[in-house]
């Protein structure tokens, strides 16, 4: 099954540490999206990337959060100096680069980040 | 501005009875609409999508949804609920503005009683 792969599935960090979340898109997909889901809430868009480019980061907090999608390797969502409020499930999705805006996104199983 | 409203945060049905999950959207343009299902500790799985073809869309697992432009609704239905349908359901809109931004509803949790 060559779906979207996210790792780790669970990540525990202490306040002030860094968290790195990885996402490998579906093979052949060139668009990656990151979402955050708080308990009992829907998904909130964070950032949309294509290979080596950030297309839309309007949902990303201005500080401590960054994302990349290098030419080779997975997409990385990086959270520096984590705080308790960063505890959430982070989902990655991918879609093909062709077919227009109506292509559905394929989701990974998420990374559950817990901050102690 | 685009938005999605799922009218019920929780829906409870008995096994074998119909399911109705309601969704209204607001979009300045002709949107694409999707329903996703999320089982506990899993990612989202696409149930169906509407992309300006037939207004009645059939999806997986017996679900279907009808796009009603006059009512700006895209309600999800299933004739007969199964226990395995218990999950969280998200209505999603992608405005036809040439971008890829996706807007999620807050979700409806479906409970299925034996």
């Amino acid at each position: 099954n060559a779906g979207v792969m996210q790792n780790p599935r669970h990540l525990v960090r202490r306040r002030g540490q860094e968290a790195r979340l990885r996402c490998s898109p579906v093979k052949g997909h060139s668009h990656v999206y990151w979402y955050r889901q708080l308990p009992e809430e829907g998904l909130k868009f964070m950032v949309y990337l294509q290979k080596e480019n950030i297309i839309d980061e309007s949902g990303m907090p201005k500080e401590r959060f960054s994302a990349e999608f290098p030419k080779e390797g997975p997409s990385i969502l990086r959270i520096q100096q984590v705080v308790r409020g960063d505890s959430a499930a982070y989902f990655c999705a991918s879609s093909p680069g062709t077919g227009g805006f109506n292509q559905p996104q394929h989701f990974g199983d998420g990374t559950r980040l817990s901050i102690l | 501005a685009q938005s999605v409203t799922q009218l019920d945060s929780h829906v409870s049905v008995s096994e074998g009875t119909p399911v109705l999950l309601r969704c209204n959207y607001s979009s300045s343009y002709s949107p694409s609409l999707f329903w996703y299902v999320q089982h506990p500790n899993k990612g989202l799985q696409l149930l169906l999508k509407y992309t300006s073809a037939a207004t009645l869309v059939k999806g997986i697992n017996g679900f279907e949804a009808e796009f009603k432009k006059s009512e700006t609704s895209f309600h999800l239905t299933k004739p007969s609920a199964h226990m395995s349908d218990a999950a969280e359901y998200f209505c999603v809109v992608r405005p036809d503005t040439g971008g890829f931004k996706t807007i999620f509803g807050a979700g409806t949790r479906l409970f299925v009683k034996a």
Side-chain angles (χ1 to χ4, degrees):
Chain A
N1 185 343
V4 176
M5 302 299 295
Q6 289 188 249
N7 68 83
R9 289 294 310 277
H10 301 274
L11 181 61
V12 179
R13 285 287 178 268
R14 296 188 181 281
R15 281 178 294 170
Q17 291 184 320
E18 178 181 285
R20 280 184 178 242
L21 288 61
R22 295 175 186 77
C23 169
S24 296
V26 172
K27 188 176 181 181
H29 284 190
S30 58
H31 295 210
V32 165
Y33 314 78
W34 284 94
Y35 296 87
R36 177 163 60 179
Q37 184 180 34
L38 295 171
E40 306 299 321
E41 294 188 13
L43 275 69
K44 303 294 185 196
F45 168 81
M46 298 181 74
V47 61
Y48 159 48
L49 311 104
Q50 296 177 17
K51 284 284 186 181
E52 299 185 278
N53 285 302
I54 297 173
I55 307 302
D56 183 345
E57 57 181 347
S58 57
M60 194 94 100
K62 294 290 186 285
E63 297 178 349
R64 303 188 297 108
F65 284 72
S66 62
E68 62 177 11
F69 187 19
K71 186 176 180 181
E72 302 291 339
S75 175
I76 305 288
L77 178 67
R78 183 182 177 204
I79 311 172
Q80 295 177 290
Q81 300 174 346
V82 296
V83 301
R84 288 240 170 91
D86 297 333
S87 295
Y90 292 83
F91 288 93
C92 172
S94 72
S95 66
T98 57
F101 69 94
N102 57 13
Q103 290 300 313
Q105 297 171 13
H106 298 253
F107 284 82
D109 285 344
T111 294
R112 271 84 185 160
L113 175 64
S114 298
I115 309 303
L116 302 179
Chain B
Q2 294 82 27
S3 65
V4 179
T5 302
Q6 291 184 242
L7 298 167
D8 307 291
S9 59
H10 299 85
V11 169
S12 182
V13 301
S14 296
E15 192 174 22
T17 63
V19 176
L20 170 64
L21 305 182
R22 298 183 294 166
C23 172
N24 286 99
Y25 70 92
S26 169
S27 177
S28 304
Y29 305 93
S30 298
S32 287
L33 296 159
F34 308 81
W35 275 99
Y36 284 85
V37 61
Q38 184 182 30
H39 290 278
N41 297 316
K42 301 289 284 184
L44 278 70
Q45 179 185 17
L46 179 69
L47 281 177
L48 50 81
K49 68 176 183 179
Y50 165 77
T51 56
S52 74
T55 56
L56 182 62
V57 182
K58 293 188 183 300
I60 62 172
N61 301 336
F63 284 94
E64 61 183 39
E66 186 172 7
F67 173 70
K68 291 186 178 180
K69 187 174 182 178
S70 60
E71 299 176 9
T72 61
S73 70
F74 190 57
H75 301 335
L76 181 71
T77 61
K78 183 173 180 178
S80 176
H82 294 162
M83 296 297 289
S84 61
D85 294 328
E88 186 95 20
Y89 291 80
F90 292 97
C91 181
V92 178
V93 63
R94 182 177 290 163
D96 180 11
T97 56
F100 287 83
K101 197 158 189 175
T102 305
I103 302 165
F104 282 75
T108 298
R109 185 167 296 277
L110 176 65
F111 297 93
V112 181
K113 298 175 289 187

